[in-house]
Structure formats: structure tokens, C-alpha cells
Amino acid sequence: MAEFLNHEPVPVDDFGAGNGFDAMGKPIPSHRRQAAYDQCKIIGLHSTDANVLVGRMSEDLERDRPYDAVGEGMRSLDLVGTYRVMAYLLAAPAPAEQG
């Protein structure tokens, strides 16, 4: 039960720098935008609406304005969907390299 004692701590950020809250105020990579777009499509947004939503939320997050990003998301989605899209914009992992 106490097997975690006397072990090295697990790093909190396994995804590297520039993820989560650290990603705000920085450019959002295309793979994260695509992941957010895919989630919008799964939620049920039309492709045009999803594209506009991801673009506007990305712009707000790149300018370090998360509350404005939530406001943009709430125009098309409920709060849970908005935070879901925001999570993908800030923390979606890069696709594995094909080789």
C-alpha cells in the first residue's frame, strides 16, 4: 500500500513545455487546432461553424485571453463542450511520427 514511498516523484507535466496553462499566450500548433476541430465535429457542429469556432478560440488563447475564448465557445457549444475544445487547443499531444 505504501509502495510509492522512497520513489522518485513523477513529473507533473509529461507532455513537455508549452502545454496546458503554459500554452496560453503562445501560438497554437496545427495539430492541436485539428484535434479541436475534430472534437467539434464529434460534438455535432457543421464544418464551417467548427472551423470558425476553433479559429476564434485559438486567437483568444494565443493572446492570453481565456475568458474571451470561453465566450466564443459558448456561442456554439455548452460549457462542457467549450472546455473540451479548449483542452484540445491547449494540450492535445502531437501525433506520433510515422516511420
Side-chain angles (χ1 to χ4, degrees):
M1 178 138 164
E3 59 272 356
F4 62 88
L5 295 175
N6 298 323
H7 287 272
E8 292 295 319
V10 177
V12 174
D13 189 13
D14 289 342
F15 297 113
N19 286 295
F21 292 119
D22 290 339
M24 286 189 214
K26 297 181 180 94
I28 296 177
S30 60
H31 71 274
R32 289 187 183 160
R33 289 176 186 250
Q34 183 63 46
Y37 173 82
D38 293 342
Q39 290 304 309
C40 287
K41 294 293 290 176
I42 290 170
I43 291 170
L45 288 181
H46 188 270
S47 59
T48 305
D49 296 334
N51 197 21
V52 169
L53 176 68
V54 168
R56 288 181 178 170
M57 287 182 71
S58 296
E59 182 178 318
D60 286 334
L61 292 172
E62 287 174 344
R63 293 180 181 192
D64 201 12
R65 299 187 318 217
Y67 293 115
D68 292 341
V70 170
E72 288 295 336
M74 294 293 290
R75 291 181 181 200
S76 302
L77 302 170
D78 63 353
L79 187 60
V80 174
T82 298
Y83 279 119
R84 179 176 176 180
V85 171
M86 186 184 286
Y88 275 89
L89 287 171
L90 295 176
E97 291 185 30
Q98 298 177 3

